[in-house]
Amino acid sequence: MPITIADVAARAKVSKTTVSRVLNGKGELDESTAARVRAVIDELGYVPSARAVNLARGRTRVIGMLVPSLTWPWMGEVLQGAVDVLEAEEYGLLLFTFNRGDDSMRQFAAQVAAKSFDGLLAIEPEGTLSYLTTLHSRGLPMVLIDDRDQIPGGQIPTVGTTNHSGAADAARHLLEIGRHKPLVVTGPSRFGCTVQRTDGFTSVFAEAGHPIPDTYVLPGDFTVACGADGVKQAIAAGLDFDAVFCHNDLSAFGAVQAVQDAGRRVPEDVAVVGFDDIPMAAHHQPALSTVHQPMREMGEAAARTLLAHFEGTALPNRPTVIPATFTARASTQP
């Protein structure tokens, strides 16, 4: 049978509360009593539950993380960045997804109520911002890894990247290689990153004297299929284009395939640019030019911000921004 705190208390002839105080270093105890308890702990080989000790100290040393889904191509990079920081500081991670909608949120809410974790990292599942804001206002430390410049009112600290300037860099690259008639395959219009990427890209072309017609901006949903469909629709409509800018790498993969299926060459006839720089981008044929989102660094920064708060540093009231960078590869360079 495993040795329990009750066994230690009985052998040392003290209460379980006294043993707990010795373990946690709390309360004033007679040194001879504390020494006797420690001797019994060594004698019996008692190993206290880490969870019990942490709870007694008012901490679980566990961080919750809420994400929409684990299927998003860059999600692993964010998680790895957060885990690298947390494990180095001997914190655990309790992961929640929004895969089952309301059922998932009820399970998450139960863990919040049980105080199963000390703070929360979140990539906000759609429609949950109001709930998360309420949790934060009630005292749950929280950092969002987010695509917006600022949560309304600055209520929740965020870590984000430069969607607008990243897309602008992609536009400048295409102009530098002589491409003046790009298609744009966007993400869902309700996403903040879609607005920022569209504005950043189109503004550079407009300033260069090559405004992009509305008919060249095609709606997408971040899938391979939407990239392929956008190119097919443009060809069917007779649009004359020499480049495609897609709002993520998956849709760029679809665009490359559709261009090639139409008998055109990438990049000689049509240059293709993505956004995200997921691991597959460098290994695609041709290797994809894309805007690198610093997803691992964003996960690391969010975790560090939360842990610093536990050590007494106030949570920031302005976003932490890690710049995106453009990476040129074979899909734009012969």
Side-chain angles (χ1 to χ4, degrees):
M1 297 290 291
I3 302 299
T4 68
I5 196 171
D7 297 326
V8 174
R11 178 69 66 90
K13 297 181 180 179
V14 297
S15 68
K16 289 190 290 185
T17 299
T18 297
V19 176
S20 179
R21 287 177 176 173
V22 172
L23 291 169
N24 299 314
K26 283 188 174 182
E28 295 183 4
L29 289 172
D30 177 75
E31 182 54 37
S32 63
T33 300
R36 186 168 75 253
V37 171
R38 286 192 287 267
V40 170
I41 288 172
D42 291 341
E43 175 189 345
L44 296 180
Y46 172 64
V47 179
S49 161
R51 177 173 172 78
V53 171
N54 287 330
L55 286 173
R57 292 174 175 168
R59 292 272 187 88
T60 65
R61 295 194 72 83
V62 172
I63 298 300
M65 188 162 187
L66 176 66
V67 302
S69 172
L70 296 179
T71 61
W72 290 14
W74 45 259
M75 188 63 69
E77 289 291 299
V78 179
L79 290 173
Q80 192 61 59
V83 166
D84 287 346
V85 171
L86 297 177
E87 287 186 348
E89 298 298 326
E90 299 183 348
Y91 274 76
L93 181 70
L94 187 58
L95 181 63
F96 302 91
T97 73
F98 195 59
N99 288 333
R100 295 178 295 111
D102 290 343
D103 287 342
S104 295
M105 289 309 294
R106 279 191 286 270
Q107 182 177 353
F108 171 70
Q111 295 300 313
V112 172
K115 298 183 178 179
S116 298
F117 44 87
D118 298 329
L120 181 69
L121 303 174
I123 298 172
E124 177 221 337
E126 191 171 357
T128 64
L129 181 58
S130 176
Y131 173 59
L132 293 177
T133 301
T134 298
L135 292 180
H136 184 65
S137 67
R138 291 176 178 173
L140 179 65
M142 185 182 306
V143 178
L144 291 187
I145 302 166
D146 196 76
D147 61 24
R148 284 163 291 202
D149 289 332
Q150 179 71 57
I151 297 298
Q155 297 145 312
I156 306 176
T158 64
V159 175
T161 190
T162 49
N163 285 290
H164 187 281
S165 64
D169 287 344
R172 293 186 190 98
H173 173 72
L174 289 175
L175 287 168
E176 287 169 1
I177 62 173
R179 307 305 170 101
H180 298 152
K181 294 176 288 186
L183 295 177
V184 180
V185 179
T186 74
S189 59
R190 65 186 183 276
F191 288 179
C193 62
T194 296
V195 175
Q196 293 168 13
R197 293 172 193 179
T198 301
D199 289 349
F201 188 84
T202 57
S203 64
V204 168
F205 270 86
E207 291 167 5
H210 303 284
I212 300 174
D214 290 344
T215 52
Y216 279 63
V217 180
L218 307 172
D221 59 5
F222 290 152
T223 62
V224 173
C226 82
D229 290 345
V231 168
K232 291 175 184 176
Q233 292 168 17
I235 292 173
L239 300 184
D240 180 22
F241 61 95
D242 58 10
V244 185
F245 171 56
C246 294
H247 278 202
N248 77 335
D249 291 343
L250 290 183
S251 54
F253 296 159
V256 168
Q257 188 62 56
V259 168
Q260 293 173 334
D261 288 347
R264 303 184 188 184
R265 299 168 299 165
V266 176
E268 290 84 356
D269 301 320
V270 179
V272 179
V273 175
F275 204 112
D276 284 340
D277 199 18
I278 62 175
M280 182 61 68
H283 304 289
H284 188 261
Q285 292 299 322
L288 186 66
S289 294
T290 184
V291 180
H292 174 77
Q293 285 209 87
M295 303 311 300
R296 182 173 297 213
E297 293 87 344
M298 289 163 65
E300 291 173 349
R304 287 197 191 98
T305 298
L306 201 54
L307 296 190
H309 173 68
F310 298 148
E311 299 302 319
T313 301
L315 289 171
N317 58 8
R318 63 178 61 185
T320 299
V321 179
I322 304 174
T325 55
F326 183 75
T327 301
R329 298 192 181 104
S331 67
T332 60
Q333 297 181 324

